[in-house]
């Protein structure tokens, strides 16, 4: 009987460990090295035209600690939202960027952000600043070969 009690106590200890609260998740994002300069250059590009500054923008990898996220499409949403909100500056639109729609089909990520579905004066600037960063971050996932802003058909 004593060995059986020891086994039950050991099992109870294991169950307690398995029920523990998940830890925070670390998410790797890619953002412009100089975010303020990037915002200014993208704004000028949208308003005045010229050469797309994304081609000459230096990017860095950054780790962000987020509340626990299971590894599913949620990690893609979390990565996109974290990166987008690093470069987004509210001004007439929503307080933060969120993913409204994300579907991966045959290597193509179809995506809509809240700034794509709720327009305001200045939304084109916000999209020009956020979308290239979103695309760069989705490109980190090996199953993504192309990013399309819009819903899958």
């Amino acid at each position: 009987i004593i060995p059986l009690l020891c086994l039950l106590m050991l099992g109870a200890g294991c169950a307690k460990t398995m029920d523990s609260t998940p830890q925070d998740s670390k998410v790797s994002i890619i953002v412009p090295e100089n975010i303020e300069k990037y915002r200014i250059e993208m704004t000028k590009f949208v308003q005045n035209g010229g050469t797309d500054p994304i081609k000459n923008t230096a990017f860095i990898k950054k780790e962000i600690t987020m509340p626990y996220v299971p590894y599913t499409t949620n990690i893609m949403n979390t990565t996109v939202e974290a990166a987008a909100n690093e470069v987004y500056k509210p001004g007439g639109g929503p307080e933060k960027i969120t993913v409204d729609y994300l579907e991966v089909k045959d290597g193509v990520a179809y995506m809509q952000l809240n700034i794509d579905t709720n327009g305001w004066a200045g939304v084109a600037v916000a999209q020009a600043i956020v979308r290239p960063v979103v695309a760069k971050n989705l490109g980190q996932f090996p199953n993504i070969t192309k990013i399309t802003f819009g819903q899958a058909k």
Side-chain angles (χ1 to χ4, degrees):
I1 252 192
I2 291 179
L4 182 57
L5 283 173
C6 289
L7 186 58
L8 287 173
M9 287 171 54
L10 181 62
C14 288
K16 186 175 182 182
T17 303
M18 290 175 14
D19 287 342
S20 65
T21 306
Q23 299 299 311
D24 289 342
S25 298
K26 286 196 186 268
V27 178
S28 291
I29 61 172
I30 301 168
V31 294
E33 189 171 45
N34 185 334
I35 292 174
E36 193 55 37
K37 180 181 176 193
Y38 170 75
R39 282 186 193 125
I40 291 167
E41 289 179 356
M42 290 304 282
T43 301
K44 287 180 185 175
F45 173 64
V46 170
Q47 293 173 343
N48 305 324
T51 304
D52 187 345
I54 196 71
K55 297 172 183 169
N56 299 316
T57 300
F59 283 84
I60 58 171
K61 199 167 212 173
K62 184 176 179 181
E63 277 201 352
I64 302 243
T65 302
M66 307 288 289
Y68 173 75
V69 179
Y71 193 86
T72 60
T73 304
N74 290 343
I75 196 72
M76 287 185 191
N77 289 359
T78 301
T79 300
V80 164
E81 289 176 357
N85 284 300
E86 282 287 307
V87 297
Y88 176 69
K89 192 173 193 177
E95 284 300 309
K96 66 179 193 159
I97 302 292
T98 58
V99 173
D100 281 353
Y101 173 85
L102 174 61
E103 180 180 349
V104 179
K105 191 175 182 181
D106 299 324
V108 179
Y110 296 92
M111 153 157 288
Q112 279 188 318
L113 303 169
N114 59 336
I115 62 172
D116 297 322
T117 56
N118 296 318
W120 73 93
V123 71
V125 171
Q127 289 170 329
I129 290 169
V130 170
R131 283 180 171 183
V133 173
V134 166
K136 228 175 212 334
N137 280 276
L138 278 176
Q140 294 184 93
F141 295 93
N143 58 327
I144 307 291
T145 56
K146 183 180 175 186
I147 292 93
T148 299
F149 288 92
Q151 293 193 7
K153 297 187 183 269

